[in-house]
Amino acid sequence: EPRLVADKADAAPLEVREGAIDFEDIGFWYTDGDACTHVFDDFELHIPAGQRVGLVGTSGAGKTTLLRVLSTLSRATSGKATLMGVDLKEEPDRARDHIGLISHNPMLYPDLTAEQNLMIYARLYGVVDPEARVMELLEAVELKHRRLDVVRTFSRGMTQRVSIARALVNDPSVVLLDEPYSGLDPHAMHIFDELIASVREGRTFVMVSHDLDKGLALASHVLVLARGRVVHFGEKDQMSPDEFADLYRTTVGMGVS
């Protein structure tokens, strides 16, 4: 069975922190001409290590912006954001060593093979014995037999499976997932669920999904965002599915999301 844990050369030791993710007084806004749009103001969020957080909210709630800040693709305008004790503004490169990101964009080179794509990322992250790591992951996503085929010949579901392998190549401490089931057929969904189950021990997950049932099934905690603020954050088991549905409908009905 694939090991799914990578050895990394010259890995920087993690600063011991209770929280895997800590946002303090985070502000995020952008301008378009004379208009200034505030996504977050004085945003606070503390996620302890090991939690699997289902992030939900309607369009415009701030979900995508939150993931972009966490993944270092965007920088907060103000405040302090840390991931595994690393300041996302001051040390984004070091923070990326601990992040795996699965998004709508597979972040793969279509004219390279599946194996070549994963080798690039394994070497960028300094994985020890990258060849073995890549073979482990290709076997885990059941694409080892297609490892020498260029990615542009793959279906959407197959491409997403290679993207999942890419996100795990550096053995990340924090895995960020933006609609991970998008484009996956039932077989690929099953592979994805098994992969997450096999690597979730000791890792922190933050997942955005419009499929509330899928999102809640994988989550240990639920975070509801509305217009850049936290409406609810707590253990999934503290609330029945019907109670959560009522909370979500009430949030939308109040016009706050």
Side-chain angles (χ1 to χ4, degrees), residues 103 114 133:
S103 70
R133 177 64 174 165

Side-chain angles (χ1 to χ4, degrees), residues 10-37:
D10 302 321
L14 290 178
E15 178 184 341
V16 178
R17 288 285 300 272
E18 178 183 355
I21 296 167
D22 291 286
F23 279 18
E24 299 176 8
D25 299 322
I26 288 295
F28 186 96
W29 56 87
Y30 59 90
T31 58
D32 183 5
D34 295 331
C36 181
T37 301

Side-chain angles (χ1 to χ4, degrees), residues 23 69 85 92 104-105 110 145 155 157 162 220 226 238 240 252:
F23 279 18
V69 172
H104 301 293
N105 181 350
H145 65 294
S155 67
V162 180
S220 62
Q238 290 180 342
S240 71
V252 174

Side-chain angles (χ1 to χ4, degrees), residues 156-177:
R156 169 62 182 165
M158 291 170 64
T159 301
Q160 187 73 333
R161 283 152 65 184
V162 180
S163 180
I164 292 167
R166 171 199 52 73
L168 296 175
V169 75
N170 60 321
D171 192 20
S173 303
V174 178
V175 181
L176 308 174
L177 310 106

